[in-house]
Amino acid sequence: MKTRHDATQALQSIGTSTLRSALAMNLLWIGALKFEDYEVENIHPLVSSSPLFAPVLKKLGEKKTARIVGMTEIALASLIAARPLAPRLSVLGGLGAVGMFATTLSFLFTTPGAWQEGHGAPKLSMVGQFLVKDSVFLGASLLVTAESLRAARRR
């Protein structure tokens, strides 16, 4: 007979696997979109106003910058998804995703129009709402990284 502890462990395992799969799927899908012209246009306001990305954009141009971001997202997705076979690689992917989402969250403070002006307390615009969801991805990346690290230590 299963105990509450067993049920809790099973639920946590299912939740972690779901979180890892969803994180990898989102990164893979969004990374692949960076090879589409419309997505190059969509990210322009975000990267052009970022102190970190503006110099890269100036040097490489919009398409190359978008494709590098896309390749990075696809690589991180692959590493995160590799957890069942290679937990140490998954740790690297998770850490990379943590850095990436921390960077994209910084766009909240550098992208013009991320905040609604003249509405009292700070209120997010549509762009700001798009960016703030990366806080959830940041948390998912941290949890997936921790779980992969535990699995790597058990090996």
Side-chain angles (χ1 to χ4, degrees), residues 105-139:
L105 280 169
S106 75
F107 294 171
L108 275 169
F109 306 102
T110 61
T111 303
W115 301 92
Q116 295 283 350
E117 299 294 327
H119 290 280
K123 294 195 169 62
L124 295 170
S125 68
M126 289 299 290
V127 171
Q129 292 173 43
F130 167 76
L131 291 169
V132 79
K133 57 107 176 84
D134 282 359
S135 62
V136 176
F137 285 125
L138 176 61

Side-chain angles (χ1 to χ4, degrees), residues 20 78-90 151 155:
R20 179 184 310 101
S78 300
L79 291 169
I80 289 166
R83 162 40 190 102
L85 301 172
R88 284 186 175 96
L89 290 177
S90 189
R155 285 191 171 193

Side-chain angles (χ1 to χ4, degrees), residues 42-122:
N42 287 343
I43 68 168
H44 178 78
L46 304 172
V47 295
S48 65
S49 58
S50 166
L52 181 64
F53 280 95
V56 175
L57 185 66
K58 187 174 180 176
K59 183 173 181 156
L60 299 179
E62 291 180 350
K63 281 190 177 187
K64 283 184 182 176
T65 301
R67 281 160 176 79
I68 288 170
V69 171
M71 288 186 296
T72 301
E73 290 169 331
I74 291 168
L76 293 175
S78 300
L79 291 169
I80 289 166
R83 162 40 190 102
L85 301 172
R88 284 186 175 96
L89 290 177
S90 189
V91 170
L92 293 176
L95 290 172
V98 167
M100 185 184 69
F101 290 120
T103 300
T104 59
L105 280 169
S106 75
F107 294 171
L108 275 169
F109 306 102
T110 61
T111 303
W115 301 92
Q116 295 283 350
E117 299 294 327
H119 290 280

Side-chain angles (χ1 to χ4, degrees), residues 12-45:
Q12 183 173 355
S13 178
I14 292 167
T16 301
S17 294
T18 302
L19 190 63
R20 179 184 310 101
S21 298
L23 179 61
M25 181 190 66
N26 275 272
L27 284 169
L28 179 64
W29 198 343
I30 293 168
L33 290 176
K34 299 298 187 292
F35 292 85
E36 300 288 336
D37 288 341
Y38 78 91
E39 185 62 9
V40 172
E41 294 171 19
N42 287 343
I43 68 168
H44 178 78

